[in-house]
Amino acid sequence: MALRKVFHDGDPVLRKKSRRVEKFDDRLQDLVDDLLETMREENGVGLAAPQVGVLRRIFVMNVHEEGDPAHDMVIINPEFLAQEATQHEVEGCLSLPGLYGYVDRPAQVTIRYQDRTGQTQELTADGLMARCICHESDHLEGILFSDKIVGNLFRYNKDGKAIDVKTGEEVELIQHD
Ligand code: NI
């Protein structure tokens, strides 16, 4: 296993469409292990292969609060079967470090995908996992969350306040119970 370099917004590789995975060989297993290790090192909840410069339809995710490896998921060749309702939440991305924004996503999604052994699986997810699936699937199409934000990107300042990167004004965050 090895850490891979995460490419940042501005690199053309992030804007390309990824190709389907056909071979579930040792090389794929190495890539999957590297994606998981890199996601963990960077404290991400998801990481897609194009973010490390590999244009294949693979992403990994772990939405567990402490990132317990037992909750690692490997999603290959995902296809959406259903999308329902809407959620409006803050997103970030390892390819846009320190930047956040609100994105509307389906509240629930159902996907069909292959696991790392090539077995076909189905998954219905809501909340953070649904959002992560949509965000990472967008990476496979060359789309970044910043393309879809409602409002402007913001950063957090040292006091934990959200500051609009364009206007420098404080952003009012939506409070959930
Ligand atoms: Ni991302």
Side-chain angles (χ1 to χ4, degrees):
M1 295 218 290
L3 290 176
R4 305 251 183 149
K5 177 190 162 190
V6 176
F7 289 83
H8 289 170
D9 187 18
D11 195 293
V13 77
L14 294 172
R15 293 308 191 171
K16 295 193 170 136
K17 197 173 148 88
S18 292
R19 297 181 300 275
R20 282 180 64 83
V21 172
E22 306 289 352
K23 278 193 240 163
F24 291 78
D25 55 7
D26 287 351
R27 208 161 155 218
L28 178 78
Q29 303 308 320
D30 287 346
L31 171 62
V32 166
D33 288 338
D34 290 356
L35 284 169
L36 287 166
E37 190 181 349
T38 306
M39 173 177 72
R40 185 152 292 117
E41 173 72 18
E42 304 271 347
N43 295 313
V45 295
L47 183 65
Q51 292 182 273
V52 300
V54 179
L55 291 169
R56 291 288 172 186
R57 302 184 79 77
I58 308 172
F59 65 82
V60 296
M61 64 177 172
N62 187 325
V63 300
H64 185 262
E65 226 169 296
E66 279 122 43
D68 179 347
H71 295 262
D72 284 347
M73 296 204 63
V74 177
I75 307 289
I76 300 173
N77 298 329
E79 319 232 5
F80 285 89
L81 301 181
Q83 311 191 17
E84 301 208 20
T86 308
Q87 55 173 318
H88 180 73
E89 296 283 352
V90 174
E91 281 181 34
C93 179
L94 295 177
S95 294
L96 289 94
L99 295 173
Y100 301 89
Y102 279 97
V103 184
D104 289 330
R105 301 284 191 188
Q108 187 180 84
V109 298
T110 300
I111 57 168
R112 180 184 297 139
Y113 66 99
Q114 284 167 283
D115 63 23
R116 65 186 296 169
T117 70
Q119 287 288 332
T120 299
Q121 310 279 357
E122 273 187 29
L123 170 67
T124 296
D126 55 20
L128 175 59
M129 190 184 279
R131 193 143 42 92
C132 186
I133 289 169
C134 295
H135 176 120
E136 301 309 329
S137 295
D138 274 352
H139 276 300
L140 308 182
E141 303 299 328
I143 297 167
L144 300 175
F145 85 90
S146 51
D147 301 342
K148 295 189 162 180
I149 49 170
V150 180
N152 292 334
L153 288 168
F154 58 85
R155 295 181 185 283
Y156 289 101
N157 71 9
K158 60 175 167 38
D159 303 320
K161 293 205 166 87
I163 306 296
D164 187 310
V165 297
K166 279 205 181 122
T167 66
E169 311 264 309
E170 190 177 340
V171 177
E172 199 73 44
L173 298 180
I174 298 169
Q175 299 298 324
H176 294 278
D177 310 326

